[in-house]
Coordinates of all heavy atoms in Angstrom, one line a residue:
M1385 N -21.0 -0.9 1.5 CA -22.3 -0.5 1.8 C -23.3 -1.2 0.9 O -23.0 -1.3 -0.3 CB -22.5 1.0 1.6 CG -24.0 1.4 1.8 SD -24.4 3.1 1.2 CE -23.6 4.1 2.4
I1386 N -24.3 -1.8 1.4 CA -25.3 -2.4 0.6 C -26.4 -1.4 0.3 O -26.9 -0.8 1.2 CB -26.0 -3.6 1.3 CG1 -24.9 -4.7 1.5 CG2 -27.1 -4.2 0.5 CD1 -25.4 -5.9 2.3
R1387 N -26.7 -1.2 -1.0 CA -27.8 -0.3 -1.4 C -29.1 -1.1 -1.5 O -29.2 -2.0 -2.3 CB -27.4 0.3 -2.7 CG -26.3 1.3 -2.7 CD -26.0 1.9 -4.0 NE -25.3 0.9 -4.8 CZ -25.3 0.9 -6.1 NH1 -26.0 1.8 -6.8 NH2 -24.7 0.0 -6.8
N1388 N -30.0 -0.8 -0.6 CA -31.3 -1.4 -0.6 C -32.2 -0.7 -1.6 O -32.3 0.5 -1.5 CB -31.9 -1.3 0.8 CG -33.1 -2.1 1.0 OD1 -33.9 -2.3 0.1 ND2 -33.3 -2.7 2.2
L1389 N -32.7 -1.5 -2.5 CA -33.5 -0.9 -3.5 C -35.0 -0.5 -3.1 O -35.7 0.0 -3.9 CB -33.6 -1.8 -4.8 CG -32.2 -2.0 -5.4 CD1 -32.3 -2.8 -6.7 CD2 -31.6 -0.6 -5.8
K1390 N -35.3 -0.8 -1.9 CA -36.7 -0.5 -1.4 C -36.9 1.0 -1.4 O -38.0 1.5 -1.4 CB -37.0 -1.2 -0.1 CG -37.0 -2.7 -0.2 CD -37.3 -3.3 1.2 CE -37.2 -4.8 1.0 NZ -37.3 -5.5 2.3
T1391 N -35.8 1.7 -1.3 CA -36.0 3.2 -1.1 C -36.0 3.9 -2.5 O -36.2 5.1 -2.6 CB -34.8 3.8 -0.3 OG1 -33.6 3.4 -0.9 CG2 -34.8 3.2 1.1
T1392 N -35.7 3.2 -3.6 CA -35.7 3.8 -4.9 C -37.1 3.8 -5.5 O -38.0 3.0 -5.1 CB -34.8 3.0 -5.9 OG1 -35.3 1.7 -6.0 CG2 -33.4 3.0 -5.4
A1393 N -37.3 4.7 -6.4 CA -38.6 4.9 -7.0 C -39.1 3.8 -7.9 O -40.2 3.4 -8.0 CB -38.7 6.2 -7.8
M1394 N -38.1 3.2 -8.6 CA -38.4 2.1 -9.6 C -37.7 0.8 -9.2 O -36.5 0.8 -9.2 CB -38.0 2.6 -11.0 CG -38.3 1.7 -12.1 SD -39.9 1.8 -12.7 CE -39.8 3.3 -13.6
P1395 N -38.5 -0.3 -9.1 CA -37.8 -1.6 -8.8 C -37.0 -2.0 -10.0 O -37.2 -1.6 -11.1 CB -39.0 -2.5 -8.6 CG -40.1 -1.6 -8.2 CD -39.9 -0.3 -9.0
K1396 N -36.0 -2.8 -9.7 CA -35.0 -3.3 -10.7 C -35.3 -4.8 -10.8 O -35.5 -5.5 -9.8 CB -33.6 -3.0 -10.3 CG -32.6 -3.4 -11.4 CD -31.2 -2.9 -11.0 CE -31.0 -1.5 -10.8 NZ -31.0 -0.7 -12.0
Y1397 N -35.2 -5.3 -12.1 CA -35.4 -6.8 -12.3 C -34.3 -7.3 -13.1 O -33.7 -6.7 -14.0 CB -36.7 -7.0 -13.1 CG -38.0 -6.7 -12.2 CD1 -38.5 -5.4 -12.2 CD2 -38.6 -7.6 -11.4 CE1 -39.6 -5.0 -11.4 CE2 -39.7 -7.3 -10.7 CZ -40.2 -6.0 -10.7 OH -41.3 -5.7 -9.9
V1398 N -34.0 -8.6 -12.8 CA -33.0 -9.4 -13.7 C -33.9 -10.4 -14.4 O -34.6 -11.2 -13.8 CB -32.0 -10.1 -12.8 CG1 -31.1 -10.9 -13.7 CG2 -31.1 -9.1 -12.0
I1399 N -33.8 -10.4 -15.7 CA -34.6 -11.3 -16.6 C -33.6 -12.3 -17.2 O -32.6 -11.9 -17.8 CB -35.4 -10.6 -17.7 CG1 -36.3 -9.6 -17.1 CG2 -36.1 -11.6 -18.5 CD1 -35.8 -8.2 -17.0
E1400 N -33.9 -13.6 -17.0 CA -33.1 -14.6 -17.6 C -33.8 -15.1 -18.9 O -35.0 -15.5 -18.8 CB -32.9 -15.8 -16.7 CG -32.0 -16.9 -17.3 CD -31.9 -18.1 -16.3 OE1 -32.9 -18.7 -16.0 OE2 -30.8 -18.4 -15.9
R1401 N -33.2 -15.0 -20.0 CA -33.8 -15.4 -21.3 C -33.0 -16.6 -21.9 O -31.8 -16.4 -22.2 CB -33.8 -14.3 -22.3 CG -34.5 -13.0 -21.8 CD -34.5 -11.9 -22.8 NE -34.9 -10.6 -22.4 CZ -36.2 -10.2 -22.1 NH1 -37.2 -11.1 -22.2 NH2 -36.4 -9.0 -21.6
E1402 N -33.6 -17.7 -21.9 CA -32.9 -18.9 -22.5 C -33.0 -18.8 -24.0 O -34.1 -18.8 -24.6 CB -33.6 -20.2 -22.0 CG -33.3 -20.4 -20.5 CD -33.9 -21.7 -20.0 OE1 -34.3 -22.6 -20.9 OE2 -34.0 -21.9 -18.8
L1403 N -31.8 -18.7 -24.6 CA -31.7 -18.6 -26.1 C -30.5 -19.4 -26.6 O -29.4 -18.9 -26.6 CB -31.6 -17.1 -26.4 CG -31.7 -16.7 -27.9 CD1 -33.1 -17.0 -28.4 CD2 -31.4 -15.2 -28.1
P1404 N -30.8 -20.7 -26.9 CA -29.6 -21.5 -27.3 C -28.8 -20.8 -28.5 O -29.4 -20.3 -29.4 CB -30.3 -22.8 -27.8 CG -31.6 -22.8 -27.0 CD -32.0 -21.4 -26.9
G1405 N -27.5 -20.8 -28.3 CA -26.7 -20.2 -29.3 C -26.6 -18.7 -29.2 O -26.0 -18.0 -30.1
A1406 N -27.0 -18.1 -28.1 CA -27.0 -16.6 -27.9 C -25.6 -16.1 -28.1 O -25.4 -15.0 -28.7 CB -27.6 -16.2 -26.6
G1407 N -24.6 -16.8 -27.6 CA -23.2 -16.3 -27.7 C -22.7 -16.3 -29.1 O -21.6 -15.7 -29.3
K1408 N -23.4 -16.9 -30.0 CA -22.9 -17.0 -31.4 C -23.7 -16.0 -32.3 O -23.5 -15.9 -33.5 CB -23.1 -18.4 -32.0 CG -22.2 -19.4 -31.3 CD -22.4 -20.8 -31.9 CE -21.5 -21.8 -31.1 NZ -21.7 -23.1 -31.6
L1409 N -24.6 -15.2 -31.7 CA -25.3 -14.2 -32.5 C -24.4 -13.2 -33.0 O -23.4 -12.7 -32.3 CB -26.4 -13.5 -31.6 CG -27.6 -14.4 -31.2 CD1 -28.4 -13.7 -30.1 CD2 -28.4 -14.8 -32.4
T1410 N -24.6 -12.7 -34.2 CA -23.7 -11.7 -34.8 C -24.1 -10.4 -34.3 O -25.2 -10.2 -33.7 CB -23.9 -11.7 -36.4 OG1 -25.2 -11.3 -36.7 CG2 -23.6 -13.1 -37.0
A1411 N -23.2 -9.4 -34.5 CA -23.5 -8.0 -34.1 C -24.8 -7.5 -34.8 O -25.6 -6.8 -34.2 CB -22.3 -7.1 -34.5
E1412 N -25.0 -7.9 -36.0 CA -26.3 -7.5 -36.7 C -27.5 -8.1 -36.1 O -28.5 -7.5 -35.9 CB -26.2 -7.9 -38.2 CG -27.4 -7.4 -39.0 CD -27.5 -5.9 -39.1 OE1 -26.5 -5.1 -39.0 OE2 -28.7 -5.4 -39.1
E1413 N -27.4 -9.4 -35.7 CA -28.5 -10.1 -35.1 C -28.8 -9.4 -33.7 O -30.0 -9.2 -33.3 CB -28.3 -11.6 -34.9 CG -28.3 -12.3 -36.2 CD -27.7 -13.7 -36.1 OE1 -26.7 -14.0 -35.4 OE2 -28.3 -14.6 -36.8
L1414 N -27.8 -9.1 -33.0 CA -28.0 -8.4 -31.7 C -28.6 -7.1 -31.9 O -29.4 -6.6 -31.1 CB -26.7 -8.4 -30.9 CG -26.1 -9.7 -30.4 CD1 -24.7 -9.5 -29.9 CD2 -27.0 -10.3 -29.4
K1415 N -28.2 -6.4 -32.9 CA -28.8 -5.1 -33.3 C -30.3 -5.2 -33.5 O -31.0 -4.4 -33.0 CB -28.0 -4.5 -34.5 CG -28.5 -3.1 -34.9 CD -27.8 -2.6 -36.1 CE -28.3 -1.2 -36.5 NZ -27.5 -0.7 -37.6
V1416 N -30.7 -6.2 -34.3 CA -32.1 -6.4 -34.6 C -32.9 -6.7 -33.3 O -34.0 -6.1 -33.1 CB -32.3 -7.5 -35.7 CG1 -33.7 -7.8 -35.8 CG2 -31.7 -7.0 -37.0
I1417 N -32.3 -7.5 -32.5 CA -33.0 -7.8 -31.2 C -33.2 -6.5 -30.4 O -34.2 -6.3 -29.8 CB -32.2 -8.9 -30.4 CG1 -32.3 -10.2 -31.1 CG2 -32.7 -9.0 -29.0 CD1 -31.4 -11.3 -30.6
S1418 N -32.1 -5.7 -30.3 CA -32.1 -4.5 -29.6 C -33.1 -3.5 -30.1 O -33.9 -2.8 -29.4 CB -30.7 -3.9 -29.5 OG -29.8 -4.7 -28.9
Q1419 N -33.2 -3.4 -31.4 CA -34.2 -2.5 -32.1 C -35.6 -3.0 -31.8 O -36.4 -2.1 -31.5 CB -33.9 -2.5 -33.6 CG -32.7 -1.8 -34.0 CD -32.3 -1.9 -35.5 OE1 -32.7 -2.9 -36.1 NE2 -31.6 -0.9 -36.0
T1420 N -35.8 -4.3 -31.8 CA -37.2 -4.8 -31.5 C -37.5 -4.4 -30.1 O -38.6 -3.9 -29.8 CB -37.3 -6.3 -31.7 OG1 -37.0 -6.6 -33.1 CG2 -38.6 -6.8 -31.3
S1421 N -36.6 -4.6 -29.1 CA -36.9 -4.3 -27.7 C -37.2 -2.8 -27.6 O -38.1 -2.4 -26.9 CB -35.6 -4.7 -26.9 OG -35.9 -4.3 -25.5
N1422 N -36.3 -1.9 -28.2 CA -36.6 -0.5 -28.1 C -37.9 -0.1 -28.7 O -38.6 0.8 -28.1 CB -35.4 0.3 -28.8 CG -34.2 0.3 -28.0 OD1 -34.2 0.1 -26.8 ND2 -33.1 0.4 -28.7
E1423 N -38.3 -0.7 -29.8 CA -39.6 -0.4 -30.4 C -40.8 -0.7 -29.4 O -41.7 0.1 -29.2 CB -39.8 -1.1 -31.7 CG -39.0 -0.6 -32.8 CD -39.0 -1.5 -34.0 OE1 -39.8 -2.5 -34.1 OE2 -38.2 -1.3 -35.0
V1424 N -40.7 -1.9 -28.7 CA -41.7 -2.3 -27.8 C -41.7 -1.3 -26.6 O -42.7 -0.9 -26.1 CB -41.5 -3.7 -27.3 CG1 -42.5 -4.1 -26.2 CG2 -41.7 -4.7 -28.5
L1425 N -40.5 -1.0 -26.1 CA -40.4 0.0 -25.0 C -41.0 1.3 -25.3 O -41.7 1.9 -24.5 CB -38.9 0.1 -24.6 CG -38.3 -1.1 -23.9 CD1 -36.8 -1.0 -23.8 CD2 -38.9 -1.4 -22.5
N1426 N -40.7 1.8 -26.5 CA -41.3 3.1 -26.9 C -42.8 3.0 -26.9 O -43.5 4.0 -26.5 CB -40.8 3.5 -28.3 CG -39.4 4.0 -28.3 OD1 -38.9 4.4 -27.3 ND2 -38.7 3.9 -29.4
E1427 N -43.4 1.9 -27.3 CA -44.9 1.7 -27.3 C -45.4 1.7 -25.9 O -46.5 2.2 -25.6 CB -45.3 0.4 -28.0 CG -45.1 0.4 -29.5 CD -45.3 -1.0 -30.1 OE1 -45.9 -1.8 -29.5 OE2 -44.9 -1.2 -31.3
M1428 N -44.6 1.1 -25.0 CA -45.1 0.9 -23.6 C -45.0 2.2 -22.8 O -45.6 2.3 -21.7 CB -44.4 -0.3 -23.0 CG -44.7 -1.6 -23.6 SD -43.8 -3.0 -22.8 CE -44.7 -3.1 -21.2
G1429 N -44.1 3.1 -23.2 CA -44.0 4.3 -22.4 C -42.8 4.3 -21.5 O -42.1 3.3 -21.3
P1430 N -42.6 5.4 -20.7 CA -41.4 5.5 -19.9 C -41.4 4.8 -18.6 O -40.4 4.8 -17.9 CB -41.3 7.0 -19.7 CG -42.8 7.5 -19.7 CD -43.4 6.6 -20.8
A1431 N -42.5 4.1 -18.3 CA -42.5 3.4 -17.0 C -41.6 2.2 -16.9 O -41.2 1.7 -15.8 CB -44.0 2.9 -16.7
I1432 N -41.2 1.7 -18.1 CA -40.3 0.5 -18.1 C -39.0 0.9 -18.9 O -39.1 1.6 -19.9 CB -40.9 -0.7 -18.8 CG1 -40.0 -1.9 -18.7 CG2 -41.5 -0.4 -20.1 CD1 -40.6 -3.3 -19.1
Q1433 N -37.9 0.6 -18.3 CA -36.6 1.0 -18.9 C -35.6 -0.2 -19.0 O -35.5 -1.0 -18.0 CB -35.9 2.1 -18.1 CG -36.8 3.3 -17.8 CD -36.3 4.1 -16.7 OE1 -35.5 3.7 -15.8 NE2 -36.8 5.3 -16.6
W1434 N -35.0 -0.4 -20.1 CA -34.0 -1.4 -20.3 C -32.6 -0.8 -19.9 O -32.2 0.3 -20.4 CB -33.9 -1.8 -21.8 CG -32.9 -2.8 -22.2 CD1 -32.2 -3.7 -21.4 CD2 -32.4 -3.0 -23.5 NE1 -31.3 -4.4 -22.1 CE2 -31.4 -4.0 -23.4 CE3 -32.7 -2.4 -24.7 CZ2 -30.7 -4.4 -24.6 CZ3 -32.0 -2.8 -25.8 CH2 -31.0 -3.8 -25.8
V1435 N -31.9 -1.4 -18.9 CA -30.7 -0.8 -18.5 C -29.5 -1.4 -19.3 O -28.8 -0.7 -19.9 CB -30.5 -1.1 -17.0 CG1 -29.1 -0.7 -16.5 CG2 -31.6 -0.5 -16.1
N1436 N -29.4 -2.7 -19.3 CA -28.4 -3.4 -20.2 C -28.7 -4.9 -20.2 O -29.5 -5.4 -19.5 CB -27.0 -3.1 -19.8 CG -26.7 -3.5 -18.3 OD1 -27.4 -4.2 -17.7 ND2 -25.6 -2.9 -17.8
S1437 N -27.9 -5.6 -21.0 CA -28.0 -7.1 -21.1 C -26.7 -7.7 -21.2 O -25.7 -7.1 -21.7 CB -28.9 -7.5 -22.3 OG -30.2 -7.0 -22.2
Y1438 N -26.6 -8.9 -20.7 CA -25.3 -9.7 -20.8 C -25.6 -11.0 -21.6 O -26.5 -11.8 -21.2 CB -24.9 -10.1 -19.4 CG -24.6 -8.9 -18.5 CD1 -25.6 -8.3 -17.7 CD2 -23.4 -8.2 -18.5 CE1 -25.4 -7.2 -16.9 CE2 -23.2 -7.1 -17.7 CZ -24.2 -6.6 -16.9 OH -24.0 -5.5 -16.2
V1439 N -24.9 -11.1 -22.7 CA -25.1 -12.3 -23.6 C -24.1 -13.3 -23.2 O -22.9 -13.1 -23.1 CB -24.9 -11.9 -25.1 CG1 -25.1 -13.1 -26.0 CG2 -25.8 -10.7 -25.4
T1440 N -24.6 -14.5 -22.9 CA -23.7 -15.7 -22.6 C -23.9 -16.8 -23.6 O -24.6 -16.6 -24.6 CB -24.0 -16.2 -21.2 OG1 -25.3 -16.8 -21.1 CG2 -23.9 -15.1 -20.1
T1441 N -23.3 -17.9 -23.4 CA -23.4 -19.0 -24.4 C -24.8 -19.3 -24.9 O -25.1 -19.3 -26.1 CB -22.7 -20.3 -23.9 OG1 -21.4 -19.9 -23.5 CG2 -22.7 -21.4 -24.9
D1442 N -25.7 -19.5 -23.9 CA -27.1 -19.9 -24.3 C -28.1 -19.1 -23.6 O -29.3 -19.5 -23.6 CB -27.3 -21.4 -24.0 CG -26.4 -22.3 -24.9 OD1 -26.4 -22.1 -26.1 OD2 -25.8 -23.3 -24.4
K1443 N -27.8 -18.0 -23.0 CA -28.7 -17.2 -22.3 C -28.4 -15.7 -22.5 O -27.2 -15.4 -22.7 CB -28.8 -17.5 -20.8 CG -29.3 -18.9 -20.5 CD -29.3 -19.2 -19.0 CE -29.8 -20.6 -18.8 NZ -29.8 -21.0 -17.4
I1444 N -29.4 -14.9 -22.3 CA -29.2 -13.4 -22.2 C -29.8 -13.0 -20.9 O -31.0 -13.4 -20.5 CB -29.9 -12.7 -23.4 CG1 -29.2 -13.1 -24.7 CG2 -29.7 -11.2 -23.2 CD1 -29.8 -12.5 -25.9
Y1445 N -29.0 -12.3 -20.1 CA -29.5 -11.8 -18.8 C -29.7 -10.3 -19.0 O -28.8 -9.5 -19.3 CB -28.5 -12.0 -17.7 CG -28.3 -13.5 -17.4 CD1 -27.3 -14.2 -18.1 CD2 -29.1 -14.2 -16.5 CE1 -27.1 -15.6 -17.9 CE2 -28.9 -15.5 -16.3 CZ -27.9 -16.2 -17.0 OH -27.7 -17.6 -16.7
C1446 N -30.9 -9.8 -18.7 CA -31.3 -8.4 -18.9 C -31.6 -7.7 -17.6 O -32.2 -8.3 -16.7 CB -32.5 -8.3 -19.8 SG -32.3 -9.1 -21.5
I1447 N -31.2 -6.5 -17.5 CA -31.5 -5.7 -16.3 C -32.6 -4.6 -16.8 O -32.3 -3.9 -17.7 CB -30.3 -5.0 -15.8 CG1 -29.1 -6.0 -15.6 CG2 -30.6 -4.2 -14.5 CD1 -29.4 -7.1 -14.6
Y1448 N -33.7 -4.6 -16.1 CA -34.7 -3.6 -16.4 C -35.2 -2.9 -15.1 O -35.2 -3.5 -14.0 CB -36.0 -4.4 -17.0 CG -35.9 -4.6 -18.4 CD1 -35.0 -5.6 -18.9 CD2 -36.7 -3.9 -19.3 CE1 -34.9 -5.8 -20.3 CE2 -36.6 -4.2 -20.7 CZ -35.7 -5.1 -21.2 OH -35.6 -5.4 -22.5
N1449 N -35.6 -1.7 -15.3 CA -36.3 -0.9 -14.3 C -37.8 -1.0 -14.7 O -38.1 -0.6 -15.9 CB -35.8 0.5 -14.2 CG -34.4 0.6 -13.7 OD1 -33.9 -0.2 -12.9 ND2 -33.7 1.5 -14.3
A1450 N -38.7 -1.3 -13.8 CA -40.1 -1.4 -14.1 C -40.9 -1.3 -12.8 O -40.4 -1.8 -11.8 CB -40.4 -2.7 -14.9
P1451 N -42.1 -0.9 -12.9 CA -42.9 -0.8 -11.7 C -43.3 -2.2 -11.1 O -43.6 -2.3 -9.9 CB -44.1 0.0 -12.1 CG -44.2 -0.1 -13.6 CD -42.8 -0.3 -14.1
N1452 N -43.4 -3.2 -12.0 CA -43.8 -4.5 -11.5 C -43.4 -5.6 -12.5 O -43.0 -5.3 -13.7 CB -45.3 -4.6 -11.3 CG -46.1 -4.1 -12.5 OD1 -45.9 -4.6 -13.6 ND2 -46.9 -3.1 -12.3
E1453 N -43.4 -6.8 -12.1 CA -43.0 -8.0 -12.9 C -44.0 -8.1 -14.1 O -43.5 -8.5 -15.2 CB -43.1 -9.2 -12.0 CG -42.7 -10.5 -12.8 CD -42.7 -11.7 -11.9 OE1 -42.6 -11.6 -10.7 OE2 -42.8 -12.8 -12.5
E1454 N -45.2 -7.8 -13.9 CA -46.2 -7.9 -15.0 C -45.8 -7.1 -16.2 O -45.9 -7.6 -17.4 CB -47.6 -7.6 -14.6 CG -48.2 -8.5 -13.6 CD -47.6 -8.4 -12.2 OE1 -47.0 -7.4 -11.8 OE2 -47.8 -9.4 -11.4
M1455 N -45.2 -5.9 -16.0 CA -44.8 -5.1 -17.1 C -43.6 -5.7 -17.8 O -43.5 -5.6 -19.1 CB -44.5 -3.7 -16.6 CG -44.3 -2.7 -17.8 SD -44.3 -1.0 -17.3 CE -46.0 -0.6 -17.7
V1456 N -42.7 -6.3 -17.1 CA -41.6 -7.0 -17.7 C -42.0 -8.1 -18.6 O -41.6 -8.3 -19.7 CB -40.6 -7.5 -16.6 CG1 -39.5 -8.3 -17.2 CG2 -40.0 -6.3 -15.8
L1457 N -43.0 -8.9 -18.1 CA -43.5 -10.0 -18.8 C -44.3 -9.5 -20.1 O -44.2 -10.1 -21.1 CB -44.4 -10.9 -18.0 CG -43.7 -11.6 -16.9 CD1 -44.7 -12.3 -15.9 CD2 -42.7 -12.6 -17.4
E1458 N -45.0 -8.4 -20.0 CA -45.7 -7.8 -21.1 C -44.7 -7.4 -22.2 O -44.9 -7.6 -23.4 CB -46.5 -6.6 -20.7 CG -47.3 -5.9 -21.8 CD -48.0 -4.7 -21.3 OE1 -48.1 -4.4 -20.1 OE2 -48.5 -3.9 -22.2
H1459 N -43.6 -6.8 -21.8 CA -42.5 -6.4 -22.8 C -42.0 -7.7 -23.5 O -41.9 -7.7 -24.7 CB -41.4 -5.7 -22.1 CG -40.2 -5.5 -23.0 ND1 -39.1 -6.4 -23.0 CD2 -39.9 -4.5 -23.9 CE1 -38.3 -5.9 -23.9 NE2 -38.7 -4.8 -24.4
A1460 N -41.8 -8.7 -22.8 CA -41.3 -10.0 -23.4 C -42.3 -10.5 -24.3 O -41.9 -10.9 -25.5 CB -41.0 -11.0 -22.3
K1461 N -43.5 -10.5 -24.0 CA -44.6 -11.1 -24.8 C -44.7 -10.3 -26.1 O -44.7 -10.8 -27.2 CB -45.9 -11.1 -24.1 CG -47.1 -11.7 -24.9 CD -48.3 -11.7 -24.1 CE -49.5 -12.3 -24.9 NZ -50.8 -12.3 -24.2
K1462 N -44.8 -8.9 -26.0 CA -44.9 -8.1 -27.1 C -43.7 -8.1 -28.1 O -43.9 -8.0 -29.3 CB -45.2 -6.6 -26.7 CG -46.5 -6.4 -26.1 CD -46.7 -4.9 -25.8 CE -48.1 -4.6 -25.3 NZ -48.4 -3.2 -25.1
G1463 N -42.5 -8.3 -27.5 CA -41.3 -8.4 -28.3 C -41.0 -9.8 -28.9 O -40.1 -9.9 -29.7
G1464 N -41.7 -10.8 -28.3 CA -41.5 -12.2 -28.8 C -40.2 -12.7 -28.1 O -39.5 -13.6 -28.7
F1465 N -39.8 -12.2 -26.9 CA -38.6 -12.7 -26.2 C -39.0 -13.7 -25.2 O -40.0 -13.5 -24.5 CB -37.9 -11.5 -25.5 CG -37.7 -10.3 -26.4 CD1 -38.2 -9.1 -26.1 CD2 -36.9 -10.4 -27.5 CE1 -37.9 -8.0 -26.9 CE2 -36.6 -9.3 -28.3 CZ -37.1 -8.1 -28.0
P1466 N -38.2 -14.7 -24.9 CA -38.4 -15.5 -23.8 C -38.1 -14.7 -22.5 O -37.3 -13.8 -22.5 CB -37.4 -16.7 -23.9 CG -36.3 -16.1 -24.8 CD -37.0 -15.1 -25.7
A1467 N -38.8 -15.1 -21.4 CA -38.6 -14.5 -20.1 C -38.7 -15.7 -19.1 O -39.7 -15.9 -18.5 CB -39.5 -13.4 -19.7
N1468 N -37.7 -16.6 -19.1 CA -37.8 -17.8 -18.4 C -37.7 -17.6 -16.9 O -38.3 -18.4 -16.1 CB -36.6 -18.7 -18.8 CG -36.6 -19.0 -20.3 OD1 -36.0 -18.3 -21.0 ND2 -37.4 -20.0 -20.7
S1469 N -37.1 -16.5 -16.5 CA -37.1 -16.1 -15.0 C -37.0 -14.6 -14.9 O -36.3 -13.9 -15.6 CB -35.8 -16.8 -14.4 OG -35.6 -16.4 -13.1
V1470 N -37.9 -14.1 -14.0 CA -37.9 -12.7 -13.7 C -37.8 -12.5 -12.2 O -38.6 -13.0 -11.5 CB -39.2 -12.0 -14.2 CG1 -39.2 -10.5 -13.8 CG2 -39.4 -12.2 -15.7
N1471 N -36.7 -11.9 -11.8 CA -36.4 -11.7 -10.4 C -36.2 -10.3 -10.0 O -35.4 -9.6 -10.6 CB -35.2 -12.5 -10.0 CG -35.4 -14.0 -10.2 OD1 -36.1 -14.6 -9.4 ND2 -34.8 -14.6 -11.2
K1472 N -37.0 -9.8 -9.0 CA -36.8 -8.5 -8.5 C -35.5 -8.4 -7.6 O -35.3 -9.3 -6.8 CB -38.0 -8.1 -7.6 CG -38.0 -6.7 -7.1 CD -39.3 -6.4 -6.4 CE -39.3 -5.0 -5.9 NZ -40.5 -4.7 -5.1
V1473 N -34.8 -7.4 -7.9 CA -33.5 -7.2 -7.2 C -33.8 -6.5 -5.8 O -34.6 -5.5 -5.7 CB -32.6 -6.3 -8.0 CG1 -31.3 -5.9 -7.2 CG2 -32.2 -6.9 -9.3
S1474 N -33.3 -7.1 -4.7 CA -33.6 -6.6 -3.4 C -32.4 -5.7 -2.9 O -32.6 -4.8 -2.0 CB -33.9 -7.7 -2.4 OG -32.8 -8.6 -2.3
A1475 N -31.2 -5.9 -3.4 CA -30.1 -5.1 -3.0 C -29.0 -5.2 -4.1 O -29.0 -6.2 -4.9 CB -29.5 -5.6 -1.7
V1476 N -28.1 -4.2 -4.2 CA -27.0 -4.2 -5.1 C -25.8 -4.2 -4.3 O -25.6 -3.3 -3.4 CB -27.1 -3.1 -6.1 CG1 -25.9 -3.0 -7.0 CG2 -28.4 -3.1 -6.9
I1477 N -24.8 -5.1 -4.5 CA -23.5 -5.0 -3.9 C -22.4 -5.0 -4.9 O -22.6 -5.3 -6.1 CB -23.3 -6.2 -2.9 CG1 -23.3 -7.5 -3.7 CG2 -24.4 -6.3 -1.8 CD1 -22.9 -8.8 -2.9
D1478 N -21.3 -4.5 -4.5 CA -20.1 -4.4 -5.3 C -18.9 -4.4 -4.4 O -19.0 -4.5 -3.2 CB -20.2 -3.1 -6.2 CG -20.3 -1.8 -5.5 OD1 -19.8 -1.7 -4.3 OD2 -20.9 -0.9 -6.0
P1479 N -17.7 -4.2 -5.0 CA -16.5 -4.3 -4.2 C -16.5 -3.3 -3.0 O -15.9 -3.5 -2.0 CB -15.3 -4.0 -5.2 CG -15.9 -4.5 -6.5 CD -17.3 -4.2 -6.5
V1480 N -17.1 -2.1 -3.2 CA -17.1 -1.1 -2.2 C -17.9 -1.6 -0.9 O -17.7 -1.2 0.2 CB -17.8 0.2 -2.7 CG1 -17.9 1.2 -1.6 CG2 -16.9 0.7 -3.8
T1481 N -18.8 -2.6 -1.2 CA -19.6 -3.2 -0.1 C -18.7 -3.8 1.0 O -19.0 -3.8 2.2 CB -20.6 -4.3 -0.6 OG1 -21.3 -3.7 -1.7 CG2 -21.5 -4.8 0.5
A1482 N -17.5 -4.3 0.6 CA -16.6 -4.9 1.5 C -15.8 -4.0 2.4 O -15.2 -4.4 3.3 CB -15.6 -5.8 0.7
E1483 N -15.9 -2.7 2.1 CA -15.1 -1.7 2.8 C -15.8 -1.3 4.1 O -16.9 -1.3 4.3 CB -14.8 -0.5 2.0 CG -14.0 -0.8 0.8 CD -13.8 0.4 -0.2 OE1 -14.3 1.5 0.1 OE2 -13.1 0.2 -1.2

């Protein structure tokens, strides 16, 4: 089954952050980045939510719930994070989709 996100209350976004050497960041460095993000989110209020992030060699892919792309970009600006690409998720699929 494909879950269409148009019926959910909060749109979901995938943010691509180009960060050379991201995969070599230490646990402490990732902690500081996460703390900064949380501080900005607390200032912005509950309308924007960080779901999780995936750290790869030179990029970090973040999943956020937010009412619009502008709020995602505002979070990036306030936190000093790159937001090279912001894409609204239109559907979520997984292995169950094939059944």
